[in-house]
Amino acid sequence: MSITPETANQHKNDPAVVCCLTHEGTIISPADLEDPAIFPDLEDSGLLTIPENVLTIGQVLGKKLIKTIDALTPITPDMIEGGLDQGEKPEVVEEAEMVQSGAAQTVTGAGNVIRIHIEEGKGINLEIPAIVTAAGTAEPAAKPVEGAQEAVKPRVEDRVRRTLLMREFEVKEVRLGDETSFENGVLTIRKGLVEDALKADPIAKKMEIDIITPDNKNVFTNTIMDVIPIATKVEGSLGEGVTHVMSGAVVILTGVDESGIQVHEFGSCEGIIGEKVRFGRPGCPDENDIMIRIHVTIQAGTGMERKGPYAAHKACDAVIQEIREVLKKKPASEAAREIEYKDVERIGRPRVVIVKEIMGQGAMHDNVILPKEPAGVLGGRPNVDLGNIPVVLSANEVRDGGIHALTCIGPASKENTRHYFREPLVNLVADDEEVNLVGVVFVGSPQVNEEKFYVSERLGALVEALGVDGAIVTTEGFGNNHIDFASHIEQIGKRGIPVVGVTYAAYQGQLIVGNKYMDAMVELNKDPNGMESEILGDNTLTKEDAVRALAMLKAKMAGAEIKPAPKKWDQSVIENNQKLVEKA
Amino acid sequence: MEIYPEARPVKGRIIEVTERDVKIEFYGRMGMLRIPLRMLICDKRPEVGDEVELMMSYVKLKNDGR
């Protein structure tokens, strides 16, 4: 199959291979060449072997062929009239890199916007983030024009929209006792709660609470439905005021139904807890955390309906609520640490939005948005009930437990409630002085394609209205949610907004759809075989992934070229990119 | 013996739908498969009786599998 001049131009640095039998004396044109996009398939099937001295499409166009060659023959210097100088030998690209080192290193925006008004051009207004001029790879579109120096305004003060004070109280020991209390680092949970908490939902039939200490991880656990921080509002609503949070102890919710079936059948992670949890991931317990295990048995057969898992979460929340009541009363003087989170409008910096695609197919593929208490259940709205349409939260609302995850399948790639509580990408982008994070959009992933495109189009309209200069789209898990993930990126990309995609794909979850806007992608895989490893939190977004994603977005906003990824998953690309951002 | 276990389209029918998964029976009583909803690509809400198609190959027992 021959190619068009546009394709030839796009692939001018790719190997030149003739598509059909080509006779001696032919002046090579795009019509004589094969599309480089299909080379990997041809190579896999043994139809094509590209030698090292192959010429590129740019080098052979317009040259005269001096011998007749068969279809699918790579063109080498000996076939071309006059050959080619050694100096013109094409550079062999050893490895595809998604982030170029040059681009990543030069991203040091001065924090200004340069506005240029060109009189002669009939009132063309260019608004270029300062980040563009800082990056050496950008087009020199911004030639100083008369009056341009006046346009470079002094840096404007950042505007703090809201402040959240988080007081951390350290838990040194957890016990079961007669009354719920929290004194001198010892948390006591009332034994009778196991019966009282079941009143939260009649589908929750039985509850057991036990304590797993960090030195005793060799215990069996049923599937871990969620990992939940214990936090409560003391002043203000979610995202502002004061929140108290316990450190050193975390709740893990596990569940089966009355017939013994794991609530998270398809993606359950029952087993020895020390082997089934990737400790230290944002959504998991840390290595030295005390785990308060709340095990709920729900009505037989309800694990496959929405009401079943939801009942387990509600009953678990009732236990946490009693702990929250004692945590609320702790005096500030007893706090081990205080952290201040600010929602800052960074005036003059490129506006950036984070889009987080969350599950929305029903059953446990649901998330409670903006509960009354941090990481709680009551008062929040499930995104399935909201029709999965995009909902905007501020970074502080996310960090204050604005999302309670009912996530189910794919333990390695699911984002638990604790993940959102300490989301590395939200934290990184919110604190980065070179960009202005305007908000975090949560969009659900419905089952049916038509519904997926409905929500995706609304996302596109929302992002357009936000007037952003860049966007990062993430999704948890894999499967048909990659259809909406790709669509979200397309909706944003086709509006001319630089966009970066972040997901686990690797071997098992490889993308099933794609479009031309998906040229900047960040892989979350950590498993050596690229599989859903059945270890909780294993392939979720970490700080390192967040750093790569933000560096890639900055490079893309600066106009840097992003090299295409290899056709198949290759972990070395990720490792290489990681080294590049660390160096930068 | 050299065999060619290429994936071929296989058809079947949905025989059970829950909010979590669907159960598929292959035509010719050639077995059943349960998959989570996220592995099902659909333009309409899946119902019992709907026809499905997937690429499948023969299953090979791995001699070094344990």
Side-chain angles (χ1 to χ4, degrees), chain A residues 214 217 224 227 250 252 273-291 412 414 416 418-419 422-424 427 526 535-545:
Chain A
K217 294 194 180 101
I224 298 172
V227 179
V250 69
I252 59 168
I273 201 160
E275 298 167 0
K276 285 291 179 183
V277 176
R278 188 63 73 214
F279 292 92
R281 289 275 192 270
C284 293
D286 289 338
E287 201 64 58
N288 294 316
D289 280 342
I290 301 166
M291 290 174 270
K414 75 178 183 185
N416 296 312
R418 197 185 201 189
H419 182 94
R422 44 185 199 176
E423 225 292 341
N427 281 331
K526 321 276 183 302
I535 299 170
L536 190 73
D538 198 14
N539 292 329
T540 52
L541 201 161
T542 61
K543 173 112 191 279
E544 292 74 30
D545 301 320

mmCIF file of all heavy atoms in Angstrom, chain A residues 214 217 224 227 250 252 273-291 412 414 416 418-419 422-424 427 526 535-545:
data_model
loop_
_atom_site.group_PDB
_atom_site.id
_atom_site.type_symbol
_atom_site.label_atom_id
_atom_site.label_comp_id
_atom_site.label_asym_id
_atom_site.label_seq_id
_atom_site.Cartn_x
_atom_site.Cartn_y
_atom_site.Cartn_z
ATOM 1 N N PRO A 214 1.897 -4.122 62.868
ATOM 2 C CA PRO A 214 2.885 -4.195 61.774
ATOM 3 C C PRO A 214 3.820 -5.402 61.871
ATOM 4 O O PRO A 214 4.349 -5.853 60.858
ATOM 5 C CB PRO A 214 3.678 -2.895 61.925
ATOM 6 C CG PRO A 214 2.840 -1.997 62.746
ATOM 7 C CD PRO A 214 1.969 -2.843 63.593
ATOM 8 N N LYS A 217 2.087 -9.607 60.120
ATOM 9 C CA LYS A 217 1.360 -9.520 58.848
ATOM 10 C C LYS A 217 1.099 -10.899 58.253
ATOM 11 O O LYS A 217 0.570 -11.018 57.155
ATOM 12 C CB LYS A 217 2.159 -8.680 57.850
ATOM 13 C CG LYS A 217 2.283 -7.216 58.270
ATOM 14 C CD LYS A 217 2.768 -6.364 57.127
ATOM 15 C CE LYS A 217 2.903 -4.914 57.520
ATOM 16 N NZ LYS A 217 4.267 -4.492 57.797
ATOM 17 N N ILE A 224 -9.754 -7.212 50.448
ATOM 18 C CA ILE A 224 -9.715 -5.858 51.018
ATOM 19 C C ILE A 224 -10.546 -4.941 50.126
ATOM 20 O O ILE A 224 -10.174 -4.654 48.996
ATOM 21 C CB ILE A 224 -8.260 -5.369 51.166
ATOM 22 C CG1 ILE A 224 -7.515 -6.298 52.132
ATOM 23 C CG2 ILE A 224 -8.225 -3.919 51.660
ATOM 24 C CD1 ILE A 224 -6.028 -6.048 52.226
ATOM 25 N N VAL A 227 -9.296 0.845 51.966
ATOM 26 C CA VAL A 227 -8.378 1.297 53.014
ATOM 27 C C VAL A 227 -8.782 2.736 53.320
ATOM 28 O O VAL A 227 -8.816 3.575 52.416
ATOM 29 C CB VAL A 227 -6.905 1.231 52.541
ATOM 30 C CG1 VAL A 227 -5.969 1.729 53.622
ATOM 31 C CG2 VAL A 227 -6.547 -0.185 52.104
ATOM 32 N N VAL A 250 -4.858 2.767 60.411
ATOM 33 C CA VAL A 250 -5.739 2.935 59.273
ATOM 34 C C VAL A 250 -6.767 1.786 59.290
ATOM 35 O O VAL A 250 -6.481 0.709 59.804
ATOM 36 C CB VAL A 250 -4.897 2.977 57.969
ATOM 37 C CG1 VAL A 250 -4.277 1.636 57.645
ATOM 38 C CG2 VAL A 250 -5.664 3.518 56.801
ATOM 39 N N ILE A 252 -8.963 -1.058 57.499
ATOM 40 C CA ILE A 252 -9.138 -1.824 56.267
ATOM 41 C C ILE A 252 -10.476 -2.552 56.352
ATOM 42 O O ILE A 252 -10.799 -3.179 57.347
ATOM 43 C CB ILE A 252 -7.967 -2.796 55.961
ATOM 44 C CG1 ILE A 252 -7.762 -3.801 57.086
ATOM 45 C CG2 ILE A 252 -6.672 -2.059 55.694
ATOM 46 C CD1 ILE A 252 -6.831 -4.927 56.662
ATOM 47 N N ILE A 273 -2.060 -11.303 54.378
ATOM 48 C CA ILE A 273 -2.060 -9.840 54.191
ATOM 49 C C ILE A 273 -0.666 -9.290 53.863
ATOM 50 O O ILE A 273 -0.523 -8.374 53.049
ATOM 51 C CB ILE A 273 -2.696 -9.132 55.412
ATOM 52 C CG1 ILE A 273 -3.149 -7.737 55.008
ATOM 53 C CG2 ILE A 273 -1.782 -9.095 56.612
ATOM 54 C CD1 ILE A 273 -4.172 -7.122 55.904
ATOM 55 N N GLY A 274 0.347 -9.891 54.438
ATOM 56 C CA GLY A 274 1.713 -9.425 54.163
ATOM 57 C C GLY A 274 2.106 -9.589 52.703
ATOM 58 O O GLY A 274 2.960 -8.875 52.189
ATOM 59 N N GLU A 275 1.446 -10.537 52.025
ATOM 60 C CA GLU A 275 1.769 -10.800 50.611
ATOM 61 C C GLU A 275 0.802 -10.119 49.664
ATOM 62 O O GLU A 275 1.075 -9.986 48.476
ATOM 63 C CB GLU A 275 1.707 -12.319 50.344
ATOM 64 C CG GLU A 275 2.709 -13.122 51.147
ATOM 65 C CD GLU A 275 2.424 -14.621 51.107
ATOM 66 O OE1 GLU A 275 1.444 -15.017 50.456
ATOM 67 O OE2 GLU A 275 3.178 -15.365 51.755
ATOM 68 N N LYS A 276 -0.362 -9.729 50.170
ATOM 69 C CA LYS A 276 -1.421 -9.245 49.291
ATOM 70 C C LYS A 276 -1.548 -7.725 49.233
ATOM 71 O O LYS A 276 -2.442 -7.185 48.591
ATOM 72 C CB LYS A 276 -2.769 -9.842 49.746
ATOM 73 C CG LYS A 276 -2.908 -11.303 49.362
ATOM 74 C CD LYS A 276 -3.043 -11.395 47.849
ATOM 75 C CE LYS A 276 -3.170 -12.801 47.356
ATOM 76 N NZ LYS A 276 -3.236 -12.845 45.885
ATOM 77 N N VAL A 277 -0.689 -7.042 49.969
ATOM 78 C CA VAL A 277 -0.761 -5.574 50.000
ATOM 79 C C VAL A 277 0.601 -5.006 49.637
ATOM 80 O O VAL A 277 1.627 -5.480 50.147
ATOM 81 C CB VAL A 277 -1.173 -5.076 51.415
ATOM 82 C CG1 VAL A 277 -1.158 -3.556 51.471
ATOM 83 C CG2 VAL A 277 -2.545 -5.611 51.796
ATOM 84 N N ARG A 278 0.624 -4.018 48.734
ATOM 85 C CA ARG A 278 1.878 -3.317 48.448
ATOM 86 C C ARG A 278 1.956 -2.148 49.426
ATOM 87 O O ARG A 278 1.464 -1.044 49.162
ATOM 88 C CB ARG A 278 1.906 -2.831 46.998
ATOM 89 C CG ARG A 278 3.232 -2.264 46.580
ATOM 90 C CD ARG A 278 4.373 -3.245 46.597
ATOM 91 N NE ARG A 278 4.304 -4.220 45.496
ATOM 92 C CZ ARG A 278 4.714 -5.500 45.589
ATOM 93 N NH1 ARG A 278 5.206 -5.949 46.727
ATOM 94 N NH2 ARG A 278 4.628 -6.309 44.559
ATOM 95 N N PHE A 279 2.511 -2.432 50.621
ATOM 96 C CA PHE A 279 2.545 -1.423 51.684
ATOM 97 C C PHE A 279 3.300 -0.174 51.215
ATOM 98 O O PHE A 279 4.290 -0.275 50.501
ATOM 99 C CB PHE A 279 3.199 -2.009 52.939
ATOM 100 C CG PHE A 279 2.364 -3.080 53.580
ATOM 101 C CD1 PHE A 279 2.530 -4.415 53.249
ATOM 102 C CD2 PHE A 279 1.359 -2.734 54.469
ATOM 103 C CE1 PHE A 279 1.734 -5.402 53.808
ATOM 104 C CE2 PHE A 279 0.555 -3.711 55.026
ATOM 105 C CZ PHE A 279 0.738 -5.049 54.697
ATOM 106 N N GLY A 280 2.793 0.970 51.604
ATOM 107 C CA GLY A 280 3.457 2.229 51.255
ATOM 108 C C GLY A 280 2.893 2.929 50.039
ATOM 109 O O GLY A 280 3.183 4.090 49.806
ATOM 110 N N ARG A 281 2.064 2.232 49.250
ATOM 111 C CA ARG A 281 1.423 2.917 48.134
ATOM 112 C C ARG A 281 0.427 3.939 48.706
ATOM 113 O O ARG A 281 -0.103 3.722 49.804
ATOM 114 C CB ARG A 281 0.676 1.925 47.241
ATOM 115 C CG ARG A 281 1.586 1.015 46.430
ATOM 116 C CD ARG A 281 2.040 1.659 45.133
ATOM 117 N NE ARG A 281 2.666 0.673 44.267
ATOM 118 C CZ ARG A 281 3.957 0.379 44.250
ATOM 119 N NH1 ARG A 281 4.789 1.019 45.060
ATOM 120 N NH2 ARG A 281 4.431 -0.546 43.440
ATOM 121 N N PRO A 282 0.135 5.008 47.943
ATOM 122 C CA PRO A 282 -0.755 6.039 48.497
ATOM 123 C C PRO A 282 -2.085 5.479 49.029
ATOM 124 O O PRO A 282 -2.592 5.941 50.045
ATOM 125 C CB PRO A 282 -1.003 6.958 47.297
ATOM 126 C CG PRO A 282 0.162 6.759 46.410
ATOM 127 C CD PRO A 282 0.609 5.339 46.597
ATOM 128 N N GLY A 283 -2.603 4.460 48.358
ATOM 129 C CA GLY A 283 -3.910 3.929 48.768
ATOM 130 C C GLY A 283 -3.836 2.780 49.742
ATOM 131 O O GLY A 283 -4.864 2.187 50.084
ATOM 132 N N CYS A 284 -2.647 2.421 50.206
ATOM 133 C CA CYS A 284 -2.476 1.236 51.058
ATOM 134 C C CYS A 284 -2.021 1.635 52.460
ATOM 135 O O CYS A 284 -1.583 2.753 52.674
ATOM 136 C CB CYS A 284 -1.440 0.305 50.438
ATOM 137 S SG CYS A 284 -1.969 -0.417 48.897
ATOM 138 N N PRO A 285 -2.066 0.672 53.380
ATOM 139 C CA PRO A 285 -1.436 0.958 54.681
ATOM 140 C C PRO A 285 0.072 1.103 54.469
ATOM 141 O O PRO A 285 0.627 0.523 53.531
ATOM 142 C CB PRO A 285 -1.727 -0.315 55.497
ATOM 143 C CG PRO A 285 -2.768 -1.069 54.763
ATOM 144 C CD PRO A 285 -2.663 -0.678 53.324
ATOM 145 N N ASP A 286 0.716 1.892 55.325
ATOM 146 C CA ASP A 286 2.169 1.973 55.270
ATOM 147 C C ASP A 286 2.748 0.801 56.058
ATOM 148 O O ASP A 286 2.049 0.159 56.845
ATOM 149 C CB ASP A 286 2.655 3.309 55.846
ATOM 150 C CG ASP A 286 2.309 4.468 54.909
ATOM 151 O OD1 ASP A 286 2.109 4.204 53.713
ATOM 152 O OD2 ASP A 286 2.235 5.620 55.382
ATOM 153 N N GLU A 287 4.029 0.558 55.845
ATOM 154 C CA GLU A 287 4.703 -0.598 56.451
ATOM 155 C C GLU A 287 4.478 -0.668 57.965
ATOM 156 O O GLU A 287 4.263 -1.739 58.515
ATOM 157 C CB GLU A 287 6.201 -0.492 56.128
ATOM 158 C CG GLU A 287 6.992 -1.773 56.218
ATOM 159 C CD GLU A 287 6.566 -2.837 55.208
ATOM 160 O OE1 GLU A 287 6.603 -2.581 53.984
ATOM 161 O OE2 GLU A 287 6.193 -3.925 55.658
ATOM 162 N N ASN A 288 4.506 0.479 58.639
ATOM 163 C CA ASN A 288 4.408 0.465 60.107
ATOM 164 C C ASN A 288 3.040 0.876 60.637
ATOM 165 O O ASN A 288 2.893 1.182 61.816
ATOM 166 C CB ASN A 288 5.485 1.378 60.691
ATOM 167 C CG ASN A 288 6.869 0.831 60.414
ATOM 168 O OD1 ASN A 288 7.117 -0.383 60.558
ATOM 169 N ND2 ASN A 288 7.765 1.680 59.946
ATOM 170 N N ASP A 289 2.045 0.887 59.761
ATOM 171 C CA ASP A 289 0.697 1.239 60.217
ATOM 172 C C ASP A 289 0.040 0.075 60.960
ATOM 173 O O ASP A 289 0.174 -1.086 60.553
ATOM 174 C CB ASP A 289 -0.196 1.595 59.006
ATOM 175 C CG ASP A 289 0.031 3.013 58.508
ATOM 176 O OD1 ASP A 289 0.598 3.824 59.270
ATOM 177 O OD2 ASP A 289 -0.357 3.302 57.360
ATOM 178 N N ILE A 290 -0.692 0.426 62.001
ATOM 179 C CA ILE A 290 -1.542 -0.576 62.661
ATOM 180 C C ILE A 290 -2.822 -0.655 61.820
ATOM 181 O O ILE A 290 -3.403 0.369 61.466
ATOM 182 C CB ILE A 290 -1.889 -0.133 64.101
ATOM 183 C CG1 ILE A 290 -0.597 0.065 64.908
ATOM 184 C CG2 ILE A 290 -2.820 -1.132 64.768
ATOM 185 C CD1 ILE A 290 -0.807 0.806 66.218
ATOM 186 N N MET A 291 -3.240 -1.869 61.466
ATOM 187 C CA MET A 291 -4.441 -2.018 60.638
ATOM 188 C C MET A 291 -5.631 -2.405 61.509
ATOM 189 O O MET A 291 -5.573 -3.410 62.233
ATOM 190 C CB MET A 291 -4.203 -3.073 59.557
ATOM 191 C CG MET A 291 -3.216 -2.601 58.499
ATOM 192 S SD MET A 291 -2.805 -3.889 57.323
ATOM 193 C CE MET A 291 -1.399 -4.642 58.117
ATOM 194 N N ALA A 412 -4.701 -4.547 42.100
ATOM 195 C CA ALA A 412 -3.428 -3.876 41.841
ATOM 196 C C ALA A 412 -3.625 -2.472 41.293
ATOM 197 O O ALA A 412 -2.788 -1.607 41.474
ATOM 198 C CB ALA A 412 -2.579 -4.689 40.865
ATOM 199 N N LYS A 414 -6.695 -0.595 41.515
ATOM 200 C CA LYS A 414 -7.808 0.207 42.038
ATOM 201 C C LYS A 414 -7.326 1.259 43.030
ATOM 202 O O LYS A 414 -6.347 1.063 43.731
ATOM 203 C CB LYS A 414 -8.873 -0.684 42.670
ATOM 204 C CG LYS A 414 -8.534 -1.269 44.026
ATOM 205 C CD LYS A 414 -9.709 -2.089 44.539
ATOM 206 C CE LYS A 414 -9.459 -2.632 45.922
ATOM 207 N NZ LYS A 414 -10.543 -3.510 46.365
ATOM 208 N N ASN A 416 -8.036 3.178 46.275
ATOM 209 C CA ASN A 416 -8.828 3.126 47.503
ATOM 210 C C ASN A 416 -9.106 4.537 48.018
ATOM 211 O O ASN A 416 -8.511 5.501 47.545
ATOM 212 C CB ASN A 416 -8.060 2.352 48.579
ATOM 213 C CG ASN A 416 -7.844 0.909 48.179
ATOM 214 O OD1 ASN A 416 -8.778 0.236 47.758
ATOM 215 N ND2 ASN A 416 -6.617 0.448 48.286
ATOM 216 N N ARG A 418 -8.065 5.863 50.689
ATOM 217 C CA ARG A 418 -6.839 6.508 51.169
ATOM 218 C C ARG A 418 -6.019 7.082 50.009
ATOM 219 O O ARG A 418 -5.284 8.036 50.188
ATOM 220 C CB ARG A 418 -5.981 5.507 51.968
ATOM 221 C CG ARG A 418 -4.949 6.228 52.811
ATOM 222 C CD ARG A 418 -3.995 5.305 53.516
ATOM 223 N NE ARG A 418 -3.379 5.989 54.668
ATOM 224 C CZ ARG A 418 -2.389 5.493 55.373
ATOM 225 N NH1 ARG A 418 -1.909 4.301 55.106
ATOM 226 N NH2 ARG A 418 -1.882 6.171 56.381
ATOM 227 N N HIS A 419 -6.169 6.489 48.831
ATOM 228 C CA HIS A 419 -5.426 6.997 47.671
ATOM 229 C C HIS A 419 -5.807 8.453 47.396
ATOM 230 O O HIS A 419 -4.959 9.304 47.171
ATOM 231 C CB HIS A 419 -5.703 6.142 46.434
ATOM 232 C CG HIS A 419 -4.938 6.596 45.229
ATOM 233 N ND1 HIS A 419 -3.718 6.065 44.885
ATOM 234 C CD2 HIS A 419 -5.189 7.572 44.324
ATOM 235 C CE1 HIS A 419 -3.258 6.680 43.821
ATOM 236 N NE2 HIS A 419 -4.135 7.599 43.446
ATOM 237 N N ARG A 422 -4.501 11.040 49.879
ATOM 238 C CA ARG A 422 -3.110 11.516 49.721
ATOM 239 C C ARG A 422 -2.666 11.325 48.266
ATOM 240 O O ARG A 422 -1.590 10.803 48.003
ATOM 241 C CB ARG A 422 -2.156 10.836 50.710
ATOM 242 C CG ARG A 422 -2.331 9.328 50.888
ATOM 243 C CD ARG A 422 -1.406 8.833 51.976
ATOM 244 N NE ARG A 422 -1.195 7.388 51.901
ATOM 245 C CZ ARG A 422 -0.377 6.734 52.692
ATOM 246 N NH1 ARG A 422 0.306 7.352 53.627
ATOM 247 N NH2 ARG A 422 -0.216 5.426 52.574
ATOM 248 N N GLU A 423 -3.505 11.781 47.336
ATOM 249 C CA GLU A 423 -3.277 11.612 45.900
ATOM 250 C C GLU A 423 -1.975 12.318 45.482
ATOM 251 O O GLU A 423 -1.877 13.542 45.560
ATOM 252 C CB GLU A 423 -4.453 12.248 45.148
ATOM 253 C CG GLU A 423 -5.023 11.419 44.017
ATOM 254 C CD GLU A 423 -4.114 11.249 42.819
ATOM 255 O OE1 GLU A 423 -3.158 12.041 42.661
ATOM 256 O OE2 GLU A 423 -4.351 10.336 42.038
ATOM 257 N N PRO A 424 -0.980 11.570 45.015
ATOM 258 C CA PRO A 424 0.321 12.201 44.728
ATOM 259 C C PRO A 424 0.270 13.227 43.595
ATOM 260 O O PRO A 424 0.960 14.237 43.671
ATOM 261 C CB PRO A 424 1.213 11.021 44.317
ATOM 262 C CG PRO A 424 0.436 9.785 44.546
ATOM 263 C CD PRO A 424 -0.993 10.135 44.753
ATOM 264 N N ASN A 427 -1.410 16.432 44.895
ATOM 265 C CA ASN A 427 -0.475 17.132 45.783
ATOM 266 C C ASN A 427 0.646 17.803 44.998
ATOM 267 O O ASN A 427 1.003 18.946 45.266
ATOM 268 C CB ASN A 427 0.135 16.146 46.790
ATOM 269 C CG ASN A 427 -0.823 15.862 47.927
ATOM 270 O OD1 ASN A 427 -1.644 16.711 48.292
ATOM 271 N ND2 ASN A 427 -0.764 14.668 48.480
ATOM 272 N N LYS A 526 3.935 -1.499 37.593
ATOM 273 C CA LYS A 526 5.132 -1.775 38.401
ATOM 274 C C LYS A 526 5.430 -3.272 38.412
ATOM 275 O O LYS A 526 6.415 -3.701 38.990
ATOM 276 C CB LYS A 526 4.919 -1.334 39.865
ATOM 277 C CG LYS A 526 4.159 -0.040 40.095
ATOM 278 C CD LYS A 526 5.027 1.179 39.997
ATOM 279 C CE LYS A 526 4.282 2.457 40.302
ATOM 280 N NZ LYS A 526 3.119 2.772 39.503
ATOM 281 N N ILE A 535 -1.995 -7.841 43.834
ATOM 282 C CA ILE A 535 -1.474 -7.245 45.078
ATOM 283 C C ILE A 535 -2.068 -5.842 45.196
ATOM 284 O O ILE A 535 -1.942 -5.025 44.275
ATOM 285 C CB ILE A 535 0.065 -7.180 45.054
ATOM 286 C CG1 ILE A 535 0.639 -8.587 44.948
ATOM 287 C CG2 ILE A 535 0.606 -6.457 46.276
ATOM 288 C CD1 ILE A 535 2.122 -8.634 44.676
ATOM 289 N N LEU A 536 -2.716 -5.584 46.311
ATOM 290 C CA LEU A 536 -3.438 -4.320 46.484
ATOM 291 C C LEU A 536 -2.533 -3.103 46.247
ATOM 292 O O LEU A 536 -1.467 -2.978 46.847
ATOM 293 C CB LEU A 536 -4.039 -4.253 47.896
ATOM 294 C CG LEU A 536 -5.020 -3.105 48.143
ATOM 295 C CD1 LEU A 536 -6.346 -3.351 47.453
ATOM 296 C CD2 LEU A 536 -5.240 -2.882 49.634
ATOM 297 N N GLY A 537 -2.979 -2.233 45.364
ATOM 298 C CA GLY A 537 -2.299 -0.957 45.136
ATOM 299 C C GLY A 537 -1.016 -1.031 44.320
ATOM 300 O O GLY A 537 -0.368 -0.011 44.087
ATOM 301 N N ASP A 538 -0.645 -2.242 43.863
ATOM 302 C CA ASP A 538 0.653 -2.432 43.219
ATOM 303 C C ASP A 538 0.857 -1.498 42.017
ATOM 304 O O ASP A 538 1.884 -0.838 41.903
ATOM 305 C CB ASP A 538 0.785 -3.895 42.759
ATOM 306 C CG ASP A 538 2.222 -4.291 42.498
ATOM 307 O OD1 ASP A 538 3.123 -3.550 42.922
ATOM 308 O OD2 ASP A 538 2.446 -5.348 41.878
ATOM 309 N N ASN A 539 -0.118 -1.427 41.127
ATOM 310 C CA ASN A 539 0.041 -0.653 39.881
ATOM 311 C C ASN A 539 -0.701 0.686 39.919
ATOM 312 O O ASN A 539 -1.169 1.161 38.888
ATOM 313 C CB ASN A 539 -0.455 -1.479 38.685
ATOM 314 C CG ASN A 539 0.434 -2.673 38.395
ATOM 315 O OD1 ASN A 539 1.633 -2.626 38.637
ATOM 316 N ND2 ASN A 539 -0.155 -3.744 37.901
ATOM 317 N N THR A 540 -0.807 1.276 41.092
ATOM 318 C CA THR A 540 -1.499 2.563 41.170
ATOM 319 C C THR A 540 -0.507 3.720 41.055
ATOM 320 O O THR A 540 0.700 3.527 41.121
ATOM 321 C CB THR A 540 -2.290 2.709 42.490
ATOM 322 O OG1 THR A 540 -1.402 2.414 43.568
ATOM 323 C CG2 THR A 540 -3.487 1.795 42.523
ATOM 324 N N LEU A 541 -1.068 4.914 40.910
ATOM 325 C CA LEU A 541 -0.278 6.130 40.703
ATOM 326 C C LEU A 541 0.555 6.473 41.949
ATOM 327 O O LEU A 541 0.008 6.611 43.040
ATOM 328 C CB LEU A 541 -1.256 7.264 40.394
ATOM 329 C CG LEU A 541 -0.805 8.518 39.671
ATOM 330 C CD1 LEU A 541 -2.010 9.228 39.102
ATOM 331 C CD2 LEU A 541 -0.016 9.458 40.520
ATOM 332 N N THR A 542 1.865 6.594 41.759
ATOM 333 C CA THR A 542 2.742 6.952 42.871
ATOM 334 C C THR A 542 3.350 8.331 42.613
ATOM 335 O O THR A 542 3.141 8.918 41.555
ATOM 336 C CB THR A 542 3.900 5.943 43.006
ATOM 337 O OG1 THR A 542 4.653 5.983 41.775
ATOM 338 C CG2 THR A 542 3.400 4.541 43.239
ATOM 339 N N LYS A 543 4.121 8.791 43.578
ATOM 340 C CA LYS A 543 4.774 10.098 43.443
ATOM 341 C C LYS A 543 5.633 10.145 42.170
ATOM 342 O O LYS A 543 5.626 11.129 41.436
ATOM 343 C CB LYS A 543 5.631 10.330 44.689
ATOM 344 C CG LYS A 543 6.514 11.555 44.642
ATOM 345 C CD LYS A 543 6.060 12.600 45.620
ATOM 346 C CE LYS A 543 6.750 13.930 45.402
ATOM 347 N NZ LYS A 543 8.077 13.988 46.004
ATOM 348 N N GLU A 544 6.364 9.059 41.900
ATOM 349 C CA GLU A 544 7.258 9.012 40.727
ATOM 350 C C GLU A 544 6.450 9.167 39.439
ATOM 351 O O GLU A 544 6.850 9.878 38.520
ATOM 352 C CB GLU A 544 8.034 7.684 40.678
ATOM 353 C CG GLU A 544 9.064 7.490 41.779
ATOM 354 C CD GLU A 544 8.455 7.197 43.127
ATOM 355 O OE1 GLU A 544 7.362 6.598 43.174
ATOM 356 O OE2 GLU A 544 9.049 7.579 44.154
ATOM 357 N N ASP A 545 5.303 8.474 39.380
ATOM 358 C CA ASP A 545 4.447 8.564 38.190
ATOM 359 C C ASP A 545 3.941 9.994 38.019
ATOM 360 O O ASP A 545 3.866 10.525 36.910
ATOM 361 C CB ASP A 545 3.240 7.626 38.308
ATOM 362 C CG ASP A 545 3.660 6.170 38.491
ATOM 363 O OD1 ASP A 545 4.628 5.762 37.835
ATOM 364 O OD2 ASP A 545 3.012 5.469 39.287
#
